[in-house]
Amino acid sequence: MTSAYNVQAMRRILLLVMTVIGIVAVLLLVRTFLLGRQSAPRDQEPSAESVHIIFCAGGAPSEIELWQSLLDDFARENPGISVELRQLPADSDQQHAYYTTLLGSGQPDVDVMRLDVIWVPEFVDAGWLAPLDASALETNDFLSFASRVDSYRGVWFAVPWNVDAGVLYYRKDLLHEAGIDRVPETWRELTDAVRRIRRLENAPREGFVWQGRQYEGLACVYLEQVMSRGGSLDPRDEFARGAHLEALTYLRALIERKLSPANTASAMDEERAREMFQNGDAVFMRNWPYAWSLLNAEYSPVAGKVGIAALPRGKGGASTGALGGWHLAIPVTSAHKEAAQGLIVFLASAKVQEELAARLNWLPTRLSVWNSPQLAQMAPQVMALKEVAPTATPRPAIPSYPALSLAVQEIVSGVLVGRLSPDEACDRLEAKLKEFR
Ligand code: GLC
């Protein structure tokens, strides 16, 4: 009895000693971690060996894959730096919400960001972007729009990584079978072509797919519709009621007359439209150049059957695509600005832009790349868009653009779902645009 009691007592003492040792060990670990953090604060560039930077970006699966391999190349060429890709959703609005929350908190942990062209004025205005060392970036080589978007009083806060322009994709095989000998040049010709192709036995289930969900993609589609009818979305311009009315009536009719999918207003973004078109389920698609390489991938049911052209125009206007694209910038809070700048120099270099053009069908932002004979060889499809890119129309470059866009999207979406008539929507648009003057 006494010896059993002794054994039990010994066990308890042992347990107690082990627990105390465990607690001390955890405390020591936490202390070491905290001391480690204090000795390498984020506002001091640590030794070359230990620099770890975070590159934040969202995109289509093929883009993510290529970016990762580019980051690996960069890390190999710069042994002291490791780069982590923080993947964001592909949707531009979701990325905007992420960045505004993160940067607004004052403690972002990212070093290089991929920003939609439309946010650059807003982010510069908010004081969120660090000035770049332009001398290392050959800024004179960028297309002329870059200096208007990215540099303020001679200081560059971002650089363009790719330029986007809305374009029309079409099924060459179906146009041919229906006896249509040229790609539609007006919006009317496009709907006529859909109707004719519908009569074919093997006609796809949908006609024209485009970005109709209430988000930034819809603002781009609407801009193209209005501009191609001689109007504008810039609050500083006079409100062209006729162009807005026609644009709204046309978009609503596409859905009502089943020329576009029934879920256009609730679900259609770039990727949903691309998947549907790629699956062989649509005749025409409005999208950005990135879709090209995916549509023609080996596994794609429509590979080799797709053409790409400028978007059609309406009455009294000229064909135009919305000017899109993504820019690279460093948040003012980055602790590793030197390494981050190095990554931007690498990613925006002519060599990398050639690879992005060849593998992702991205439109380059450097004149030297557009003029290089290699581009024509490596990416003939990109060269075919050489005329489209310069005619692209920018969205109003004002710091309050995101708020303006939200208002426009809401009104246009109201028409698409039948909640507002095109006339009511025009009244609202006119009043709204005035508020942003
Ligand atoms: C593309 C464009 C971008 C635009 C977005 C809308 O990613 O490059 O500028 O805002 O589409 O969905």
Side-chain angles (χ1 to χ4, degrees):
M1 184 69 191
T2 320
S3 78
Y5 174 81
N6 280 344
V7 171
Q8 248 185 19
M10 287 283 285
R11 271 203 195 129
R12 272 199 210 120
I13 291 169
L14 204 64
L15 200 70
L16 194 70
V17 171
M18 301 275 285
T19 314
V20 171
I21 292 176
I23 292 174
V24 170
V26 170
L27 286 175
L28 278 174
L29 266 175
V30 171
R31 184 171 173 272
T32 316
F33 174 71
L34 289 176
L35 281 178
R37 279 175 63 109
Q38 277 166 17
S39 62
R42 279 191 65 82
D43 58 357
Q44 255 174 39
E45 190 81 13
S47 71
E49 258 88 355
S50 58
V51 177
H52 180 74
I53 55 177
I54 299 179
F55 172 55
C56 214
S62 53
E63 294 177 318
I64 302 282
E65 203 181 302
L66 183 56
W67 300 339
Q68 185 59 63
S69 83
L70 289 172
L71 297 182
D72 295 344
D73 291 348
F74 175 77
R76 254 193 308 277
E77 285 172 23
N78 297 271
I81 307 172
S82 58
V83 191
E84 177 185 330
L85 173 62
R86 179 173 298 165
Q87 195 180 327
L88 301 185
D91 182 311
S92 168
D93 294 27
Q94 286 175 18
Q95 294 187 45
H96 183 256
Y98 175 83
Y99 282 124
T100 48
T101 313
L102 190 76
L103 298 168
S105 77
Q107 292 186 316
D109 57 350
V110 299
D111 300 292
V112 177
M113 306 179 291
R114 177 179 179 254
L115 305 180
D116 194 332
V117 57
I118 50 175
W119 317 329
V120 179
E122 179 199 7
F123 283 24
V124 171
D125 204 53
W128 286 338
L129 305 185
L132 300 176
D133 172 7
S135 63
L137 284 159
E138 294 174 70
T139 49
N140 285 343
D141 189 30
F142 287 126
L143 299 178
S144 62
F145 82 93
S147 65
R148 289 194 296 277
V149 176
D150 296 322
S151 91
Y152 296 79
R153 296 198 188 93
V155 181
W156 287 74
F157 287 94
V159 292
W161 200 19
N162 75 314
V163 52
D164 254 344
V167 288
L168 181 74
Y169 291 90
Y170 61 94
R171 286 282 301 277
K172 287 190 289 195
D173 55 332
L174 296 174
L175 257 65
H176 178 75
E177 270 177 60
I180 302 169
D181 54 10
R182 69 181 172 90
V183 186
E185 284 174 10
T186 64
W187 293 113
R188 179 72 196 269
E189 282 173 19
L190 181 132
T191 44
D192 286 350
V194 170
R195 289 198 177 94
R196 267 174 79 172
I197 290 169
R198 282 261 159 91
R199 290 187 218 120
L200 297 175
E201 237 171 59
N202 57 342
R205 111 187 116 79
E206 303 293 351
F208 177 34
V209 289
W210 44 280
Q211 293 73 50
R213 182 161 73 70
Q214 190 177 326
Y215 80 116
E216 187 55 34
L218 177 60
C220 296
V221 163
Y222 189 62
L223 174 97
E224 288 157 357
Q225 283 290 329
V226 171
M227 293 290 301
S228 68
R229 297 166 197 280
S232 148
L233 259 195
D234 196 317
R236 293 159 292 195
D237 292 340
E238 203 177 313
F239 186 74
R241 194 179 177 94
H244 283 274
L245 203 57
E246 273 176 29
L248 290 163
T249 310
Y250 183 80
L251 291 177
R252 172 81 194 122
L254 286 176
I255 301 172
E256 240 169 16
R257 300 193 186 147
K258 302 193 176 12
L259 298 160
S260 290
N263 66 351
T264 297
S266 60
M268 277 295 159
D269 56 20
E270 284 88 2
E271 280 294 88
R272 289 292 284 273
R274 180 193 55 87
E275 282 157 16
M276 190 173 262
F277 187 82
Q278 185 159 328
N279 217 18
D281 291 334
V283 184
F284 295 105
M285 167 171 76
R286 183 267 172 218
N287 214 320
W288 307 98
Y290 86 96
W292 177 261
S293 45
L294 292 158
L295 298 175
N296 286 300
E298 240 170 64
Y299 54 82
S300 163
V302 296
K305 299 180 179 165
V306 179
I308 190 167
L311 286 168
R313 57 184 152 73
K315 256 193 266 153
S319 156
T320 187
L323 177 75
W326 292 80
H327 295 229
L328 299 170
I330 303 174
V332 77
T333 44
S334 164
H336 309 300
K337 295 198 182 70
E338 209 180 303
Q341 160 101 19
L343 179 61
I344 291 186
V345 169
F346 169 80
L347 292 175
S349 68
K351 185 171 157 273
V352 169
Q353 291 212 2
E354 272 172 15
E355 192 171 345
L356 291 164
R359 305 225 346 233
L360 296 178
N361 204 46
W362 271 19
L363 307 191
T365 61
R366 289 193 176 278
L367 287 164
S368 60
V369 180
W370 277 111
N371 295 332
S372 109
Q374 250 143 284
L375 187 73
Q377 258 178 7
M378 290 166 71
Q381 211 48 50
V382 165
M383 282 309 276
L385 296 178
K386 199 174 178 180
E387 306 309 316
V388 171
T391 62
T393 306
R395 284 157 278 174
I398 48 175
S400 54
Y401 173 76
L404 167 75
S405 172
L406 282 181
V408 170
Q409 292 164 33
E410 202 198 333
I411 298 170
V412 177
S413 177
V415 174
L416 300 186
V417 297
R419 190 166 39 80
L420 289 176
S421 73
D423 244 321
E424 285 165 332
C426 272
D427 294 342
R428 291 195 191 188
L429 274 172
E430 186 168 10
K432 216 30 185 195
L433 288 177
K434 261 195 201 132
E435 285 174 24
F436 286 88
R437 268 195 189 152

